[in-house]
Amino acid sequence: MPQPATRRTVLATGAGALALGCVGCGSDDGGATAPQPPTAPATAPSPAAEGGTGETSPTAREAAPPGDALARTDDIPEGGGKVFADRKIVVTQPQKGRFKAFSAVCTHQGCTVSQVTDGIILCPCHASRFRITDGSVAAGPASRPLPEEPVTVRGNSLYLT
């Protein structure tokens, strides 16, 4: 006849099941992190992120983009940029008259980048840094660049296309 389960057996079994249930909990950076506010999921890669340049060209300048202007060209400082958090876009002007746009969603853990300073796009969550010229990683923990978005200049207005 089988022996009844002892209190020790029941507690040990419960503790083991609890430990197995917690496998996978925690962050991927090896340390505890504060909960982050939810952000909208990043959009699918744009044609520019798939190999386009995102640079403004004479042809792109002449095309009539649909929708409202994102910003005026003089809103974007030369050698800097501006974050449009509500649109999840950051627009930069690495050189006079050359505009680039990138997703403002950090490729590390999905936070929205917060500012552009000294030629660098900054993420406030874990201090990832990206170059304004091409969205490449200047400092981690992010390991992938910000996806490029197509931007068009028409007159003195910037449009996402």
Side-chain angles (χ1 to χ4, degrees):
M1 183 156 116
Q3 295 282 333
T6 65
R7 188 180 320 186
R8 183 178 303 165
T9 303
V10 171
L11 289 174
T13 303
L18 180 62
L20 284 175
C22 287
V23 171
C25 295
S27 68
D28 67 351
D29 61 2
T33 59
Q36 298 298 321
T39 59
T43 58
S46 69
E50 301 277 333
T53 64
E55 304 251 350
T56 54
S57 67
T59 304
R61 290 175 192 262
E62 295 165 9
D68 296 328
L70 179 63
R72 297 178 49 82
T73 56
D74 55 4
D75 291 339
I76 312 301
E78 183 179 344
K82 183 174 180 181
V83 177
F84 297 90
D86 60 326
R87 304 276 301 266
K88 302 278 188 211
I89 293 291
V90 58
V91 177
T92 66
Q93 185 179 189
Q95 300 170 346
K96 184 175 177 77
R98 293 255 182 192
F99 297 91
K100 305 283 262 178
F102 305 97
S103 169
V105 178
C106 180
T107 57
H108 175 236
Q109 287 191 343
C111 295
T112 302
V113 299
S114 62
Q115 63 182 332
V116 181
T117 297
D118 298 323
I120 298 292
I121 302 165
L122 305 169
C123 179
C125 294
H126 301 104
S128 289
R129 301 161 60 90
F130 304 89
R131 293 177 186 87
I132 66 169
T133 54
D134 58 5
S136 63
V137 176
S143 60
R144 295 180 324 258
L146 294 174
E148 194 168 339
E149 299 291 337
V151 65
T152 300
V153 176
R154 178 158 176 131
N156 56 0
S157 296
L158 294 166
Y159 296 85
L160 290 176
T161 52

